[in-house]
């Protein structure tokens, strides 16, 4: 039962350690390198709609957002939770190992105890500064608290159950650690001990690796011997071939670690050898335990010790990957290769000298592997150690600087995570000076010096790293610093040279492309992203954004389901006039509803709602209003309100959109010119050139300068010829900006009587202009035309408009009170169900008024529409509505205002007509 408990506990630690180690092998560390993308916004004008009125043609443009992502190198992340976890695991493993040591025989017990004392000494517990700085008191207390109960069980209580031994050692060691933490005056002694536990864990892992030095070769030999039992095959040739290949692999790994030879094929990390060493080593170890009569302890305890060693090795690998202690990782890699090469080589000498004569006999040679009669087994170990020394010399004794750098980095991690930046920077600097293949130390040094306001010294370290041991995160940090100091060309130098050193690196490619745009090299930026962005979601997203910004056609890519990619893809489609799939828009909305970043939420909402859409308008405006009220959206409040105005415009709510945009112009004087230019385009689209001209004039006063020829035409049609001439000269607007007969007719369209407009339509000679005019008559003046006139317009538009069948259905019975006819009319115009959304579409406004039962509601609706529209019949209906509710003064005032664009004869004629 005790032995089973020991093995099960060890197996549990092995499985969990293996899981964490494999996880870091696959996904790497989340704390270093700490290269993260930072997003920023740029805007691109997209055509929400087009104005096509004969020779007057221009887009109504609104801003969509492009999200660019730039990589930044941040300081290494804190690993406090991971450090405490690792420290706790090492503590439990140490307790288990010490409890197992207490079951050893005399000589193995003495050797194990001595090794434990050496490990505690190397763990630098003196740094707890108990009593005085670097006092030996903590070491003495640790040795006493951990070794004394082990000695007690080994000498006086040899028959004590293993479970009780473990509990006593656990309590004694735990009390010792607790006392040291309470007595230590340093900052966070628990973290200090947790970080230093890496030395103990690494020491136990190395001991296990040396124990299993020939585990791979001996395990394979045992498997071959068992498989070929009673077969009499040449397993000598098989084991020689397999061992030769394995030793050759180790030689290649050695050359790769040394770095002198450029191998024509890829190698792998020696850490991956831990898996075959552990699996095959278990086969070898269990065979040796069963065959050797004099062993250190009970077989079950030795097997538990094997599993603990296997497990602690995985946990150490995880800790090294998480903490970024590259010196310790390289140290472990070197020792794995050295030990495997030395012990495997001499194991081959051992089995060939002892068992060659019986190896191919087909007998159970696996059962006598560790019962030699010629060359004793301990000679194998001595020879292996000598080989390790030879390899160490060949590798220039790099183990020594690795150990120095490793221990310094461990101490640096403690100071860094306790906020002692100056001490940490010095330790990291010394760590890198001892061993150059130590990326975290150099990066952390520069980061800390920047934090300590020593940029010159930090840049010196980055320059040293760039020239002697380049690393991607330092190149990114250095280029970012150059950009911050307004030295873009120096930043380009570092990134370009870094890309030569690290080709295909997405971080460098991305930042260099964005920098090319900054220094006016957009073609090079596009080329760089196009050639590398197909397999990286961030590069792909930036490529779409850059193509949109430069308005370049590019390769189509479907890579990426992230929010930023979808935001940029939507903006690109909006710019090119490509219909966004409904499913994509739905997924974008779902992601935006969960998004917490104000910047991305603002950008996503703008791009999502810059589409013509007459459904769910009220619901989406309520959502936008709720978003604008969020406290974290305060910085983007104006932009969200602008998005709401754009959403209203996309749904045809001209009245609401124009009023909201005017409100934004009033509240945000700095952007008033942009908003007023947008309202001018909306009003011009609705043939209200007078109001559009006034908005353009005010926009110019507010600083708007992007005048184009169509602006001058609008001013002329609005009756401001002098302003048009002034702006043409002031802003050097090229091209001709003259009106024609058709545009002059349109300039008076809204305020004209339908019959007169119909007569003018009949004499228009241009088929194109005549088609445009006919559509406008149906859209805005159908309420004042006879059935005959409507059908004549419909006959002319046959084959020239969309939804022709809807128009034909309406013309069969042009009755506004008939729901089917009204539905056909609205579907022909492609508007939503809101009849009163656009005040310039008089037929729909009058129809909406007729549906209201309350005369006051009718008046309010008609009055709201007349704030924009000068349609004579609309104004007469307003006069009639005012009289019905007793507002005669309002009616008289409205008639007086109508006289400014109508004759009194026309007004009297309108009053005598029953509408």
């Amino acid at each position: 039962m005790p032995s089973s408990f020991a093995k099960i506990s060890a197996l549990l630690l092995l499985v969990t350690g293996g899981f964490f180690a494999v996880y870091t092998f696959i996904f790497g560390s989340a704390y270093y390198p700490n290269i993260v993308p930072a997003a920023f916004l740029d805007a691109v004008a997209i055509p929400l709609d087009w104005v096509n009125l004969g020779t007057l043609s221009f887009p109504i443009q609104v801003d969509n957002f492009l999200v660019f992502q730039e990589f930044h190198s941040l300081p290494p992340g804190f690993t406090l939770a991971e450090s405490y976890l690792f420290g706790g695991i090492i503590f439990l493993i140490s307790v288990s190992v010490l409890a197992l040591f207490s079951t050893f025989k005399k000589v193995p017990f003495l050797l194990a105890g001595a090794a434990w004392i050496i490990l505690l000494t190397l763990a630098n517990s003196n740094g707890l500064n108990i009593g005085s700085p670097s006092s030996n008191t903590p070491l003495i207390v640790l040795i006493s608290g951990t070794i004394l109960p082990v000695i007690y069980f080994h000498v006086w209580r040899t028959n004590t159950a293993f479970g009780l031994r473990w509990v006593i050692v656990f309590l004694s060691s735990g009390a010792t650690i607790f006392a040291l933490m309470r007595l230590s005056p340093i900052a966070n002694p628990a973290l200090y001990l947790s970080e230093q536990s890496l030395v103990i864990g690494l020491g136990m892992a190395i001991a296990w690796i040396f124990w299993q030095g020939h585990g791979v070769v001996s395990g394979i030999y045992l498997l071959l011997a068992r498989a070929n039992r009673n077969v009499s095959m040449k397993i000598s040739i098989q084991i020689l071939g397999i061992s030769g290949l394995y030793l050759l692999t180790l030689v290649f790994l050695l050359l790769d670690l040394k770095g002198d030879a450029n191998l024509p094929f890829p190698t792998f990390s020696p850490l991956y050898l831990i898996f075959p060493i552990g699996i095959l080593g278990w086969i070898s170890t269990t065979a040796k335990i069963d065959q050797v009569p004099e062993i250190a302890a009970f077989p079950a305890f030795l097997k538990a010790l094997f599993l603990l060693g296997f497990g602690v090795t995985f946990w150490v690998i995880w800790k090294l990957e998480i903490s970024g202690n590259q010196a310790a990782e390289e140290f472990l890699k070197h020792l794995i290769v050295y030990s495997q090469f030395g012990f495997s080589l001499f194991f081959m000498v051992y089995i060939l000298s002892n068992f060659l004569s019986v190896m191919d006999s087909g007998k159970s040679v696996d059962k006598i592997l560790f019962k030699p009669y010629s060359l004793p087994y301990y000679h194998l170990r001595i020879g292996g150690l000598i080989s390790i020394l030879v390899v160490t010399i060949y590798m220039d004794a790099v183990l020594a600087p690795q150990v120095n750098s490793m221990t310094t980095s461990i101490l640096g991690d403690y100071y860094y995570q306790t906020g002692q930046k100056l001490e940490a920077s010095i330790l990291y600097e010394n760590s890198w000076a001892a061993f150059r293949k130590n990326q975290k130390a150099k990066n952390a040094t520069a980061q800390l010096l920047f934090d300590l306001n020593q940029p010159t010294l930090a840049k010196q370290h980055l320059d040293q790293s760039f020239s002697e041991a380049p690393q991607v995160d330092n190149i990114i940090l250095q280029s970012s610093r150059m950009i911050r100091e307004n030295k873009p060309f120096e930043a380009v130098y570092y990134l370009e040279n870094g890309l030569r050193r690290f080709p295909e690196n997405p971080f460098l490619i991305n930042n260099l492309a964005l920098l090319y745009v900054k220094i006016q090299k957009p073609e090079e930026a596009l080329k760089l992203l196009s050639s590398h962005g197909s397999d990286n979601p961030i590069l792909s997203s930036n490529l779409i954004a850059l193509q949109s910004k430069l308005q370049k056609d590019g390769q189509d890519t479907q890579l990426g389901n992230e929010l930023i990619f979808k935001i940029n893809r939507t903006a690109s489609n909006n710019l090119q006039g490509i219909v966004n799939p409904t499913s994509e828009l739905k997924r974008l909305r779902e992601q935006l509803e969960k998004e917490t970043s104000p910047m991305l939420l603002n950008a996503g909402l703008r791009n999502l709602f810059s589409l013509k859409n007459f459904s769910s308008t009220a619901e989406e405006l309520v959502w936008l209003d709720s978003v604008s009220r969020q406290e974290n959206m305060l910085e983007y409040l104006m932009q969200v309100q602008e998005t709401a105005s754009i959403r209203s415009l996309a749904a045809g709510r001209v009245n609401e959109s124009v009023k909201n945009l005017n409100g934004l112009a009033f509240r945000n004087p700095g952007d008033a010119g942009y908003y007023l230019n947008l309202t001018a385009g909306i009003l011009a689209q609705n043939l209200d050139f007078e109001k559009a001209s006034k908005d353009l004039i005010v926009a110019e006063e507010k600083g708007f300068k992007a005048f184009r020829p169509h602006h001058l035409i609008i001013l002329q049609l609005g009756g401001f010829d002098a302003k048009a001439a002034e702006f043409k000269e002031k802003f050097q607007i090229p091209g001709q900006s003259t009106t024609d007969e058709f545009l002059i007719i349109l300039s008076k369209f809204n305020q004209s009587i339908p019959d007169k407009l119909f007569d003018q339509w009949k004499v228009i000679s241009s088929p194109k202009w005549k088609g445009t005019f006919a559509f406008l008559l149906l859209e805005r003046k159908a309420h004042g035309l006879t059935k005959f006139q409507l059908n004549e317009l419909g006959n002319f538009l046959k084959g020239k408009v969309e939804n022709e069948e809807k128009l034909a259905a309406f013309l069969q019975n042009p009755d506004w009170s008939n729901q089917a006819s009204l539905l056909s009319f609205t579907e022909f115009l492609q508007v939503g169900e809101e009849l009163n959304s656009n005040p310039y579409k008089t037929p729909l406004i009058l129809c909406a008024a007729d549906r209201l039962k309350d005369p006051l509601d009718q008046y309010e609706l008609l009055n709201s529409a007349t704030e924009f529209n000068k349609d004579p019949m609309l104004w007469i209906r307003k006069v009639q509505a005012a009289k019905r509710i007793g507002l005669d003064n309002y009616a008289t005032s409205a008639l007086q205002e109508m006289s400014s664009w109508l004759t009194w004869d026309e007004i009297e004629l309108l009053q005598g007509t029953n509408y």
Side-chain angles (χ1 to χ4, degrees), residues 51-58 684-685 687-690 709-719 736-750 752 757 760 764 766 769-770 772-773 776:
V51 177
N52 289 301
L53 301 171
T55 57
L56 179 61
S57 178
F58 63 92
Q685 184 186 35
L687 311 181
D688 196 342
F689 298 105
E690 182 182 357
H710 70 268
H711 290 119
L712 303 185
I713 295 176
I714 292 172
L715 287 168
Q716 291 171 6
L717 294 173
Q736 295 296 321
S737 306
T738 57
T739 60
D740 51 43
E741 182 182 356
F742 179 67
L743 290 177
I744 293 173
I745 296 174
L746 291 183
S747 67
K748 305 297 182 181
F749 187 93
N750 287 340
S752 299
L757 291 174
Q760 290 175 327
I764 294 175
S766 170
W769 293 359
K770 196 166 186 176
T772 302
F773 205 90
L776 290 171

Side-chain angles (χ1 to χ4, degrees), residues 554-582:
Q555 63 192 35
D556 184 45
T557 175
Q558 299 298 326
L559 179 66
N561 289 315
E562 296 180 354
L563 177 60
I564 292 178
F565 180 91
K566 285 192 171 78
I567 291 172
N568 289 340
R569 167 63 74 191
T570 305
S572 175
N573 290 344
N574 292 345
L575 177 64
Q576 299 176 64
I578 299 174
V579 177
N580 290 279
T582 305

Side-chain angles (χ1 to χ4, degrees), residues 195-473:
E195 292 293 348
Q196 293 297 332
S197 67
L198 177 58
V199 175
I200 297 175
L202 186 61
M204 290 191 288
I206 292 170
W208 180 83
I209 289 168
F210 273 62
W211 182 16
Q212 303 304 314
H214 57 75
V216 172
V217 175
S218 59
I220 292 174
Y221 172 76
L222 286 168
L223 291 175
L224 287 173
R226 292 169 185 172
N228 290 301
R229 190 179 299 170
N230 301 322
V231 180
S232 300
M233 292 184 66
K234 297 288 185 180
I235 66 170
S236 58
I237 298 176
Q238 295 174 5
I239 191 63
L240 277 173
I242 295 173
S243 300
L245 287 174
Y246 183 62
L247 291 173
L248 190 62
T249 301
L250 293 173
V251 170
F252 288 140
L253 290 176
L254 275 175
L255 294 175
D256 185 56
L257 288 173
K258 190 172 178 62
D260 290 344
N262 293 320
L263 300 175
F265 48 84
T267 58
F268 58 90
S269 171
L271 297 180
Y272 288 108
L273 290 175
I274 294 300
F275 294 97
I277 291 173
I279 296 169
L280 296 171
W282 173 259
I283 299 172
S284 174
T285 300
T286 52
K288 186 173 187 297
I289 290 173
D290 294 337
Q291 293 176 26
V292 177
E294 293 293 329
I295 57 177
F298 290 115
F301 292 150
L302 291 178
K303 291 177 182 179
L305 193 63
F306 173 92
L307 295 175
L308 285 171
F310 196 7
V312 77
T313 304
F314 278 136
W315 279 104
V316 167
I317 291 173
W318 171 75
K319 171 62 175 175
L320 297 180
E321 293 287 341
I322 286 293
S323 64
N325 194 328
Q326 198 168 358
E329 184 175 332
E330 292 297 315
F331 178 68
L332 186 61
K333 289 178 181 178
H334 279 253
L335 285 182
I336 289 172
V337 177
Y338 296 4
S339 61
Q340 285 295 299
F341 180 81
F343 290 124
S344 296
L345 178 63
F346 271 85
F347 181 81
M348 289 305 300
V349 175
Y350 169 77
I351 60 172
L352 291 176
S353 62
N354 283 296
F355 308 110
L356 183 61
S357 58
V358 295
M359 196 179 296
D360 301 326
S361 64
K363 297 180 180 179
S364 301
V365 292
D366 56 297
K367 295 184 178 180
I368 59 169
L369 176 61
F370 297 101
K371 296 181 180 179
Y373 53 85
S374 172
L375 182 67
Y377 178 78
Y378 66 84
H379 287 173
L380 178 162
R381 290 292 185 178
I382 295 173
L385 290 173
I386 294 173
S387 298
I388 291 172
L389 292 175
V390 172
V391 173
T392 301
I393 295 171
Y394 168 75
M395 298 294 285
D396 301 323
V398 71
L399 295 178
Q402 285 172 349
V403 171
N404 183 6
S405 178
M406 171 190 73
T407 54
T408 307
S409 288
I410 291 173
L411 197 56
D413 287 344
Y414 161 73
Y415 280 107
Y416 174 60
Q417 294 184 99
T418 52
Q420 302 176 70
K421 296 182 179 181
L422 179 60
E423 294 84 350
S425 67
I426 296 171
L427 288 166
Y428 282 133
E429 181 181 356
N430 292 337
S431 175
W432 190 85
F435 183 65
R436 300 299 172 88
K437 193 175 182 180
N438 196 355
Q439 296 186 2
K440 177 186 173 181
K442 198 63 171 177
N443 181 261
T445 301
Q447 298 275 13
L448 287 169
L449 288 172
F450 279 128
D451 287 346
L452 292 168
N453 200 25
Q454 298 186 44
T456 303
L457 188 57
K459 287 188 287 186
Q460 289 177 359
H461 279 281
L462 292 175
D463 285 331
Q464 185 182 31
S465 170
F466 188 76
S467 59
E468 298 182 22
Q471 57 191 76
V472 172
D473 54 344

Side-chain angles (χ1 to χ4, degrees), residues 565-630:
F565 180 91
K566 285 192 171 78
I567 291 172
N568 289 340
R569 167 63 74 191
T570 305
S572 175
N573 290 344
N574 292 345
L575 177 64
Q576 299 176 64
I578 299 174
V579 177
N580 290 279
T582 305
S583 58
E584 289 297 319
L585 294 177
K586 182 179 178 181
R587 282 195 286 269
L588 174 58
R589 171 158 183 168
E590 290 172 352
Q591 287 182 277
L592 289 173
E593 288 173 345
K594 301 174 184 176
E595 183 57 41
T596 57
S597 167
M599 183 184 70
L600 296 183
L601 184 57
N602 171 54
L605 289 171
R606 172 64 58 82
N607 298 359
L608 176 64
F609 292 139
S610 297
L611 301 163
K612 279 196 169 182
N613 182 12
F614 296 97
S615 62
S616 305
T617 306
E619 174 192 343
E620 290 171 353
L621 288 174
V622 169
W623 181 30
L624 284 169
D625 183 63
S626 66
V627 169
S628 68
R629 295 175 185 274
Q630 295 176 12

